[in-house]
Amino acid sequence: MRTLLVLIAAALAGALTLYGFAPYRLYGLLPLSLLALAQLVQRNPTLAFRTGYVWGVAAYTSNFNWIYNSLHDIAGLPAVLAAPLVLLLPAYLAIWPGLGCWLVIRIDQRPWVRWLLAFPALWELGEWLRSWVMTGFPWGAVGYSQVTESPLSGFIPLGGIHLVSYLVALSAGALLLLANGQRLQRALAATLLLAIWSAGFWLQSVNWTEPVGKPYRVALAQGDIAQVLKWDPAAFEQTLKTYYQQVASTQADVMILPETALPVFLDDLPSGYLTMVAGDARRKNMALATGIPRRTPDGRGYLNAVVVLTDPALPSYAKDHLVPFGEFIPLPGLIGWIYQYMNMPLSGFSRGGANQAPLLLAGHHIAFNICYEDSFGEELIGPAARAGILANVSNLAWFGKSVAMSQHLQLSQARALETGRFMLRATNNGMTAIVRPNGEISSVAAPFSQQVLEGMVQDYQGLTPYMQLGNQPVIIACASLLVLAMALGAYQRYREKPRQLPAAENDAS
């Protein structure tokens, strides 16, 4: 019965993390949730792995419930197949907190070693590993909960979202010692908390990059094309008309249409459409870029691309970090049969190549990324360093009316903070937005509406500390702290090990 109650408490603590992220943004919930997890593990060490694993399954299922929308509501997968597949990703991701809790109990019995050294390091190393193992899925890292309302967001330009995830776990460990530790431990925990959160508050006022050139007007199209209609031949003409009308009615320096806004290969566009839409933009001196699939040079594959339509050379950016199971099938021999039950066109994209050059629009270098590529901060550093502004094009119609849109916007806010640059977001149905270099949302379009969001932006130059160093310092520091905790634990066990006294001499002789 006690085991069941512990696991129920862990599940509740995990499920509540949903409200720590956008759109709710109750950032204090994440340190408290990890505090509850640590408390349960500390009091029930024999259940450490199970406690961490159940916390993880509940947290990731709660945060990623929109997977069901994608599989069942949009792709049409029968519920009997969609429901268990929704649990598949959380079941894998939960391994990392489970292993972290299992290891923290075995490293050292002393609370300060466990919760100030081992736990934060293990937590962050787990989040880093899940950000690249099997192509990676960093969405839902605890650091994102601190964007941008929390003082801890001030650390994002310094060490990226991974540094903030570490600090959230460290805060949870410090809170545990503050509640349960001895006097000296409580003093240490209070000092740590005060120092971390005060430093974050001060760092929010630091400008790591600076504006360059003159402000200019951008326009971000939101066509609100339902996913069930997007690839429907009967709706194709209306889709083209919708985006042409948005271009024709807009006056800006740069206009961006969302991911696969034009649902046809670039070389299959109806005769005259490209000339008409690009010509209309040129007459207004407006650079125009759109998301559109295009074939690879050898014609054997296809790319999820952004193409500059107003440049006769049609320069493009092609998505490199593809979504497993969505844009490519990682194990076709094992799970390929599932796709016969789903309406998922173009599920076999080719990769575009890493570190592509920014695109030039109206004299401004813009580093594009597509859909969930903005989950991978380190991969954006190279292009961002050569650009004055970032842009993300997405089609979030796959997720229906869920929290996925708001969560994705929060990822873009983190990328703006890490690079010290504006982030433009052009999406099919929300959240189309302009994000300032400090992560604040300048303006956002109403979701599920046809709208062109316009606003003034400016190029920025300079490199934040994170752009110069990437994730490496945080990962090395966490690995070093883990090694230190293990060494302290080993030394403590050596000291406590009973010493074998030398055998008494035989005096019988």
Side-chain angles (χ1 to χ4, degrees), residues 346-404:
L346 300 182
S347 56
F349 281 104
S350 301
R351 295 182 61 177
N355 204 24
Q356 297 174 57
L359 298 180
L360 185 64
L361 286 89
H364 304 280
H365 290 94
I366 301 180
F368 279 89
N369 54 87
I370 298 178
C371 196
Y372 101 135
E373 279 189 312
D374 65 353
S375 304
F376 303 90
E378 198 167 41
E379 295 180 7
L380 271 59
I381 290 176
R386 293 175 283 164
I389 199 166
L390 305 178
N392 175 274
V393 297
S394 295
N395 173 30
L396 301 183
W398 276 106
F399 307 124
K401 295 183 178 180
S402 69
V403 298

Side-chain angles (χ1 to χ4, degrees), residues 42 63 182-183 252 339 420 434 436 473:
Q42 176 73 9
N63 279 277
Q182 299 174 355
R183 179 178 298 178
Y339 287 77
I434 298 173
R436 296 183 182 278

Side-chain angles (χ1 to χ4, degrees), residues 34 39 48 54 66 75 118 234 290-291 336 350 364 423 456 468 471:
L34 293 187
Q39 187 78 276
V54 168
W66 38 261
T290 184
S350 301
H364 304 280
M423 169 68 89
M456 300 299 293
Q468 298 177 58
N471 294 327

Side-chain angles (χ1 to χ4, degrees), residues 371-490:
C371 196
Y372 101 135
E373 279 189 312
D374 65 353
S375 304
F376 303 90
E378 198 167 41
E379 295 180 7
L380 271 59
I381 290 176
R386 293 175 283 164
I389 199 166
L390 305 178
N392 175 274
V393 297
S394 295
N395 173 30
L396 301 183
W398 276 106
F399 307 124
K401 295 183 178 180
S402 69
V403 298
M405 291 183 181
S406 297
Q407 290 176 354
H408 196 204
L409 174 58
Q410 203 165 34
L411 302 183
S412 289
Q413 291 177 268
R415 303 292 85 84
L417 276 163
E418 285 175 347
T419 60
R421 283 155 172 78
F422 273 93
M423 169 68 89
L424 310 178
R425 287 178 48 81
T427 74
N428 177 28
N429 60 346
M431 298 278 186
T432 297
I434 298 173
V435 181
R436 296 183 182 278
N438 63 0
E440 294 179 356
I441 299 169
S442 174
S443 56
V444 60
F448 306 105
S449 66
Q450 289 189 0
Q451 184 178 347
V452 176
L453 181 70
E454 297 187 31
M456 300 299 293
V457 300
Q458 193 167 8
D459 292 337
Y460 271 68
Q461 65 180 6
L463 302 177
T464 64
Y466 177 71
M467 292 179 72
Q468 298 177 58
L469 300 172
N471 294 327
Q472 192 173 32
V474 175
I475 304 309
I476 291 175
C478 287
S480 301
L481 289 171
L482 181 58
V483 170
L484 174 60
M486 294 171 67
L488 289 171

